[in-house]
Amino acid sequence: METYISLAHGDGGELSHRLIRDIFVSAFGDKNAVMFDAAAITMATHKIAVTTDSFVIKPIFFPGGSIGKLAVAGTVNDLAVSGAKPAYLTCGFVIEEGFPISNLKKIVTDMANEAKKSGVTIVAGDTKVVERGSADGVYINTTGIGVYQPEIGCSLEFAEGDAVIVSGTIGDHGIAVLTARGELGITAPVNSDCASLNNMLEAILKDTSGIKIMRDPTRGGLATTLVEIAEDFQLTINIQETAIPVKAEVHGVCDLLGYDPLYLANEGKAIIIVSAKEKDKVVEILRKFPEGKDAAIIGSISSKEKGRLLLETPLGAKRLLTRLSGTMFPRIC
Amino acid sequence: MRSAVNIAVHGRVQGVGFRPFVFQLAQKLSLQGTVQNNMDGVKIYLEGEKSAIEEFLTDLKTKAPRLSKIHNIIVEDSELKSAEAFSIIESDRHGTSMLVIPIDSAVCDDCLREMNDPEDFRYQYPFINCTQCGPRYTIIDELPYDRPYTSMGGFPMCDDCRKEYEDPTNRRHHAQPIACPKCGPKVTLLDSNGQVYEAENSIEVTIRLLKAGKIIAIKGIGGYHLSCDARNEQAVATLRKRKNRPNRPLAVMAASIAAAKEFAEISQSETDLLRSPEAPIVILKKNRRYPLAESVAKGMRTIGVMLPYSPLHYLLFADPELSCLVMTSANPSGLPILYRDDEVFQYLSGIADFYLVHNREILHPVDDSVVQLNNGKLDFFRRSRGYVPDPFTTEQDVTGIVGFGGQQKTTFTIGRNEQIFIGPHIGDLENIETINHYRHELDHLLKWIDIPKTTAVIDAHPGYQVRNVVKEYDFSEVVEVQHHHAHMAACIEEHHIPGRAFGIILDGTGYGPDGNIWGFEILYGDAAQYERMAHLCYTPLPGGEKCILEPWRNAAAMLIQLLGEDGVRLAQTIFSDKEREINVLKKLIEHNLNTVYAGTCGRLFDAVSAICGVTKVSSYDGEAAIQLAELVDENNNFEPYSFDLQKEKMMMINFSSMLKELADDVIKKKQISLISGRFHETVVQAIVLTMDELLMKNPSAEKNVVLSGGSFHNRYLRKRITNELQARGFQVFVPESIPCNDGGLSYGQLAVAAAKRRS
Ligand SMILES: [Fe+3]
Ligand SMILES: [Mg+2]
Ligand SMILES: [Zn+2]
Ligand SMILES: [Zn+2]
């Protein structure tokens, strides 16, 4: 087989056929699906969840993951936090001419492994090759299909005193990727948290009641996601700075670079808002999973009037947090 | 010969005992007639001997109550009406409405005299007051200003007080907070658990505790102070530690001018300021002896001093051994001043040992005002208690315009008719407590001033919190104003400068329309519009705000950007423990990661301060620049370093050669105060040379200059730039009644919107 992707890999001819057969089908394993223009799938008849996401990341391999793992975990998590059980995935590749085929293989293997771990089947795919310079390496789009399960799910019915839980340390992915680019001359102090959370989240949905909402704080970080929840549902959310789990290494790099961990991307974390009664049980279950071992209660809903997020500092003041905005222009004199 | 006149008096003449004063003056001179309030001042009809009328007119100006401020007096001859007596008559509701919101004033000499008189029924009464002194704005719930609508509403007057209150000849006639030991508020000393520690002799015991080095929260006029003996190093250090305030200077209260002279140099004008009814904190030069605890104002050649302004404060100085107290507002860092009794224990637990409280509620908190005399003129750091909300007069109708201010040291400003009201100092809009405080005070003043909500004015910065606040108000339009144009317009409005002017704006941080951070600008224009003529070269702030909190980063970035590899080496030498960090900063700049560009005076001072080793990491805002400026005596002259002026269409000041020379001087261990002085002079020369160039390029430009922005608190910059420009024939204006820092921003925002509305 060739070493690098060429334009001919995308022309629909022999090379395309071989690429699909040798790389995708052999990894994803659903031989039936590629026989037709569309994959035929069967699912339980209940409400279905569909989500799509495109993955563009630099570098494509980073400590703790790759664009492949991310493309599966990201879409699986979007389904999982919606309360659906992920079942099928499709994937579309945009590959730059000259991309090493060995790298493509690694990516596809990562996808297959992550799919297996999370119990989803990759059923359809597409590949396009673009001229050198028209893309940066490889971009992946995945679409996920999941099934809502009867009787369990998120109620979206909030009450004062509901607890805000985060399933582990924040900012790991953001720092891992930033440092892995090598531009800053610092070696990555942590691995990305990139992981599928569906099994863990299914466990808390099944074994507890009173879950109000779940979200994955990806781009924009914990703060932006919580601001969105606060505004969407007109809630005042209070979080305590000291309760938020952040790895010391992440703190260190943030301090050096002037970033705020609250605004760094995560790829294997969930925010869960749950009734006060069930909060400890949720944390207990989360902590049984490796992805949830650092789960913590970080705050609560303090009122149901105003959409805003407040961060209680150790000094006792409450900082009003806003969403991440393009450039963080200094405001202080 | 008998004659008659009509007299109209304009200015602050209502609610300040003006009519009783007129009444008594007329009685004394055997004149007949009437006095009444009307919508724009006081109207007097007077008849009697011509010589007596003339004497009346002289005394009207010279002997008016201390709280009154007469803008003008119009006298017209009148027909004789054959009045038989002199009387105060009902207010006239005609004329343009002039709103009066009374301000809080320091206890007056008459009241002090009574308080110290063992025969007086208010002997040692901590709440003695009269029409000429006492709390006002802070205790008013609703207008009109009348006792039932103040926090004195719950204290029914006793017969003795009522007699004075109702007697038009008494100096307590209609003094709404009138009180005595029988009918008025009382003080109590509580322990750290909020239990009564001493009720009867609470002040005496407080003095004893202060002398023993305890830290006491004292409820004053506008909020709580934290207090301790300013001579007791250990007490001051403990207060700093508990309040988590390592370096920021603490204000002190001295028993008297004489007591203040023990540790500070005080000129006559400074004495007058200290003794004024506004009783601000005045920044004074420390004297040589300086017997106070070093940690009160460490590293500073100045100290903030005020005199007792409430009767309670005076009573605390009964013991000559306790002549100076630290008096710092009792707010946990980042939060507004504490004023509610129920909040104090929550926030001050672990900080205060005891609480000296009283049961006269504070309804509207105000911080102490802070001023200095700068180049002979009043320079406000903070305009609040005693000044707020006294209106400014303008030459145009500004009804319905509200300036929302900035992010830090925030104030808001409200326009009504030809009056401009600046609200109290609010603080930094970072925390929800402060944002709520802002909204509470704005709501309250908007209700009082009662205007149509026409135009809201905000800063152009995309991230200022007021952007969210303004959404909660229903204004017809929201206008954005560039930060430094607002600073410039504020000064133009204050001095009613006609035509155009240059604006030299030296400031900390302001958002520029080009997406960079501005703050070292020469603008030209008026209140409606401006053109940017020159600015400081941009340098990177890798890590954004982190560079402002840790000026050494900004310094390293500036060296790297302006001096290349040479700069990296200098940075590595000067910040020798930051080798790894400097390499990372360099990379952040190279890859333009989390980096914004700034050309500001505040950041330039920060950088130089860090290079000089004065302040590498700030513990309060402005620390690095302040500490650097404190090394320089404005009465000296220094040799400038070299600098470059890029004379393109937009002129740019480049300080790379200065930085090189300056960094070399630091490495050679030259005297830091000399380096700082030379740096100051370089800034002066760069500005002056730029102005020369600008004038050459624009010979028809008007030779008016306003100096504004927070860096103009700097005494050396202000004095030297003023002198140099005046020598070149410029007329130089500086803010004198509003802060040149962001506390004056809202006033400038209003001025811009008003000018745009007019044009
Ligand atoms: Fe400013
Ligand atoms: Mg997603
Ligand atoms: Zn008085
Ligand atoms: Zn009384």
Side-chain angles (χ1 to χ4, degrees), chain B residues 108 111 129-130 133 171:
Chain B
C108 74
C111 285
N129 67 80
C130 70
C133 72
R171 62 186 194 85

Coordinates of all heavy atoms in Angstrom, one line a residue, chain B residues 108 111 129-130 133 171, ligand 3:
Chain B
C108 N -19.9 70.6 62.9 CA -19.5 72.0 62.9 C -18.9 72.5 64.2 O -19.1 71.8 65.2 CB -20.6 72.9 62.4 SG -21.9 73.2 63.7
C111 N -21.5 73.0 67.1 CA -22.0 71.7 67.7 C -20.8 71.1 68.6 O -21.1 70.6 69.7 CB -22.4 70.7 66.7 SG -24.0 71.1 65.9
N129 N -25.9 67.4 66.0 CA -25.8 68.0 64.7 C -26.7 69.2 64.6 O -27.5 69.5 65.5 CB -26.2 66.9 63.7 CG -27.7 66.5 63.8 OD1 -28.6 67.2 63.3 ND2 -28.0 65.4 64.4
C130 N -26.7 69.9 63.5 CA -27.5 71.0 63.3 C -27.7 71.2 61.8 O -27.4 70.3 61.0 CB -26.9 72.3 63.9 SG -25.4 72.8 63.0
C133 N -24.5 70.8 59.9 CA -23.6 69.6 59.9 C -24.4 68.4 60.2 O -25.6 68.5 60.5 CB -22.6 69.8 61.0 SG -23.2 69.7 62.7
R171 N -30.5 77.5 65.4 CA -29.6 76.9 64.3 C -30.0 75.5 64.1 O -29.3 74.8 63.3 CB -28.1 77.1 64.7 CG -27.7 76.5 65.9 CD -26.2 76.8 66.2 NE -25.7 75.9 67.3 CZ -25.2 74.7 67.0 NH1 -25.1 74.3 65.7 NH2 -24.8 74.0 68.0
Ligands
ZN3 ZN -23.6 71.6 63.7

